[in-house]
Amino acid sequence: MGLTLPIELFEQAKRTMISQNENVLLSWVTELEEGSAKHIFDQASGAFKGERFFWQNKERTLRLSGLGAMDQLKVERGQDRFLALHTRKEQVLRQTVTNSEEMACGAVYFGGFSFDDEHDTSPEWEKFGEGFFYLPLFLVTEKDDRCYLSVNIWLSADDVYSKVEAVMAQWEKIAAAEVTADPEVACILEERLAEDTWLRAATDVVTLLQEAPDMQKVVLARRMRLGFDGFLSSSRMIAHMEEQQGNSYCFVLENGASTFFGATPERLLLADEEKLESACVAGSIARGDTENADAILGSTLLNDAKNLAEHHFVVEMIKATMERFCEDVEVSANPMLLKNRDIQHLYMTVSGRRGEAGMLDVLRALHPTPALGGWPQREAMTVIRLKEEMDRGFYGAPIGWIDSLDRGEFAVAIRSALAIDTNAILYAGCGIVADSVPAEELAETAIKFQPMLRVLGGKVHERT
């Protein structure tokens, strides 16, 4: 027997609609006896391809799969993007009738922001705007070894219960659908874009930093392009990321024929009712091909003055920001190693008691951290706009989810790529400081392309 949305909740929504004289979002949450967010994502390929998202946290204790766009927000140039999402979320909350306050369930918005809302937008990023979020029709939430279904339906004065029945019939059809494996595709083109231009920019930035002692760091990013002999599959991307990129967030955001995806190690902000937490991830070195070689590389990173200085900028900035919004701020002990398949980083955490802090206010203040922008922040961003001849789009920017009660989690969208039909654009960056050697920094960005190259089947240069 299929799931039935309670008619009592529908009638409550209709009464609320009459009293408020406006449409109502009916958000019903129920626990599923069995289910998998990834499996539902795959089952919905036919019905909702181009209108799905997937999220898995670093600890793999939370997975979200969203299908369909019951509400969509695209932030246009000139709008305050964080305020736009806050305003939409609060408006929808005021119009919502729900049976649950379960975290990461119900009226959850998922999406991301652009890295820099003052940069000219390139054609491949135009449909994402300065921010792109949507509230799904169906949301499957896996957490704490339990699985929940959220159904979000806008109701107007003329709607009757048969509308709800039609939506639930659509869910049953998806839940019963067979998963058809998408065909494998081969990478037939690999193009590293504008390396000479990037080297010249890095050289200019090194000179600038040597002549401007008040500036400590500027992050420069670059791109590469891959071409394939068929259309890229979100389901295969997720499967490859889960298999290959442990200790990382896994995200996929579909927008028509475009898909932004990645496996990032870096939390920007986690918010529950009582606590806010951020992670300081900066400084990097490759992994070794043996346990001993890996340990030597890790020890080198932990004792490298340049990388320790880069990490220190991040820790100090995040700590100062959290102290603006939180009480009892705590910073974890000395830097430790965060190891991914191809890269290892220096890692610490900063947390505090939340109080009245709004999640999006804190997110605005944190972005971009020195790990993705540089330090001081404003001056570094000015240099990036002058010297970086590309649009980062959502690369390096916040991506994640926020629920109706202002709880959620955002990661920094590094180790990421934008897929469009049969092509993909990969992004990577590194921190330039006064004693940087541009050729060495270029080699570091090549290491940072590796995770998405693996995911997409491009040519991976194995570590030695």
Side-chain angles (χ1 to χ4, degrees):
M1 185 176 178
L3 297 175
T4 302
L5 192 152
I7 193 169
E8 294 85 1
L9 191 64
F10 172 80
E11 291 172 344
Q12 179 186 346
K14 294 288 282 188
R15 290 193 297 271
T16 302
M17 191 185 313
I18 294 170
S19 65
Q20 295 184 355
N21 194 30
E22 61 183 356
N23 292 348
V24 165
L25 180 75
L26 174 57
S27 183
W28 178 55
V29 180
T30 187
E31 186 170 355
L32 299 173
E33 293 183 3
E34 58 182 18
S36 159
K38 171 60 166 62
H39 189 66
I40 288 292
F41 184 93
D42 296 343
Q43 287 176 300
S45 177
F48 289 108
K49 189 171 185 178
E51 211 173 60
R52 296 177 295 173
F53 67 76
F54 182 85
W55 168 272
Q56 178 175 268
N57 66 0
K58 189 161 68 76
E59 298 80 12
R60 302 198 174 190
T61 56
L62 174 68
R63 293 179 179 87
L64 303 176
S65 181
L67 316 173
M70 190 50 31
D71 184 40
Q72 181 172 295
L73 171 67
K74 178 187 174 186
V75 184
E76 301 295 345
R77 187 72 176 267
Q79 288 184 276
D80 182 321
R81 51 200 170 147
F82 296 97
L83 179 60
L85 177 58
H86 171 77
T87 301
R88 178 67 64 87
K89 180 180 69 71
E90 291 301 302
Q91 177 185 1
V92 169
L93 173 62
R94 181 173 53 81
Q95 296 176 258
T96 298
V97 171
T98 185
N99 66 322
S100 174
E101 295 184 353
E102 191 74 39
M103 186 170 176
C105 294
V108 172
Y109 279 87
F110 182 90
F113 298 98
S114 64
F115 178 80
D116 181 9
D117 61 353
E118 294 185 28
H119 195 287
D120 291 338
T121 302
S122 58
E124 66 267 21
W125 286 107
E126 284 180 352
K127 66 193 305 181
F128 288 86
E130 303 304 332
F132 181 79
F133 287 83
Y134 62 89
L135 169 74
L137 171 60
F138 301 117
L139 173 68
V140 175
T141 305
E142 271 188 83
K143 64 172 186 171
D144 305 324
D145 297 321
R146 302 171 80 172
C147 191
Y148 301 88
L149 169 67
S150 303
V151 182
N152 297 302
I153 311 172
W154 279 112
L155 296 176
S156 63
D158 296 332
D159 288 329
V160 294
Y161 188 72
S162 59
K163 178 176 181 176
V164 172
E165 292 176 320
V167 170
M168 296 311 299
Q170 187 177 18
W171 164 257
E172 295 298 339
K173 185 176 180 180
I174 293 169
E178 294 291 331
V179 175
T180 303
D182 293 324
E184 289 277 10
V185 298
C187 182
I188 57 175
L189 171 69
E190 199 171 304
E191 183 181 6
R192 298 177 184 271
L193 303 172
E195 286 190 346
D196 291 342
T197 301
W198 191 91
L199 281 168
R200 286 194 296 271
T203 301
D204 290 346
V205 170
V206 169
T207 301
L208 173 64
L209 293 172
Q210 291 171 346
E211 296 174 351
D214 291 340
M215 287 193 66
Q216 282 84 38
K217 175 184 177 183
V218 174
V219 178
L220 288 181
R222 67 188 188 96
R223 303 178 299 168
M224 68 179 300
R225 180 166 59 234
L226 302 182
F228 300 85
D229 62 359
F231 291 95
L232 292 163
S233 161
S234 294
S235 293
R236 286 198 178 275
M237 292 174 196
I238 295 169
H240 293 166
M241 287 190 289
E242 286 188 324
E243 177 186 359
Q244 300 167 8
Q245 303 300 325
N247 216 12
S248 297
Y249 293 87
C250 168
F251 65 86
V252 166
L253 175 62
E254 294 183 343
N255 184 357
S258 301
T259 302
F260 182 55
F261 65 99
T264 173
E266 189 169 346
R267 170 183 290 155
L268 186 57
L269 186 64
L270 171 67
D272 61 19
E273 293 91 338
E274 300 177 352
K275 182 180 177 182
L276 298 176
E277 181 175 308
S278 185
C280 311
V281 180
S284 61
I285 201 166
R287 299 294 305 275
D289 60 350
T290 67
E291 186 174 332
N292 184 57
D294 195 55
I296 291 172
L297 286 168
S299 178
T300 299
L301 180 61
L302 286 167
N303 292 281
D304 181 75
K306 172 183 177 293
N307 281 290
L308 287 169
E310 285 192 51
H311 188 256
H312 179 72
F313 297 148
V314 177
V315 174
E316 289 301 302
M317 181 270 191
I318 291 179
K319 177 175 178 288
T321 302
M322 295 287 275
E323 286 175 340
R324 287 171 49 196
F325 294 95
C326 300
E327 299 177 359
D328 303 327
V329 172
E330 296 181 354
V331 181
S332 61
N334 294 329
M336 59 184 294
L337 294 174
L338 176 65
K339 294 178 179 282
N340 302 111
R341 178 166 180 170
D342 298 287
I343 313 170
Q344 46 191 326
H345 300 279
L346 297 173
Y347 174 82
M348 293 174 69
T349 61
V350 180
S351 61
R353 190 152 52 87
R354 178 173 182 171
E356 300 299 317
M359 183 179 184
L360 293 170
D361 292 332
V362 183
L363 203 67
R364 179 209 303 272
L366 286 171
H367 174 72
T369 72
L372 270 299
W375 192 253
Q377 184 187 75
R378 180 175 297 179
E379 290 82 353
M381 290 296 291
T382 299
V383 175
I384 290 171
R385 292 176 190 129
L386 288 172
K387 291 296 181 181
E388 198 172 272
E389 296 184 5
M390 63 173 227
D391 177 17
R392 293 190 185 188
F394 280 24
Y395 164 73
I399 187 163
W401 61 273
I402 184 169
D403 71 13
S404 60
L405 297 183
D406 212 39
R407 305 166 297 192
E409 185 167 21
F410 281 77
V412 181
I414 56 175
R415 313 295 178 266
S416 58
L418 176 66
I420 305 174
D421 295 327
T422 61
N423 296 284
I425 303 171
L426 281 59
Y427 297 82
C430 63
I432 308 295
V433 294
D435 60 351
S436 287
V437 178
E440 294 177 359
E441 303 293 356
L442 184 72
E444 180 179 320
T445 61
I447 294 172
K448 293 175 178 177
F449 281 132
Q450 302 285 67
M452 289 303 101
L453 279 171
R454 284 189 193 279
V455 168
L456 292 170
K459 184 179 179 182
V460 177
H461 303 279
E462 295 295 342
R463 55 184 181 255
T464 57

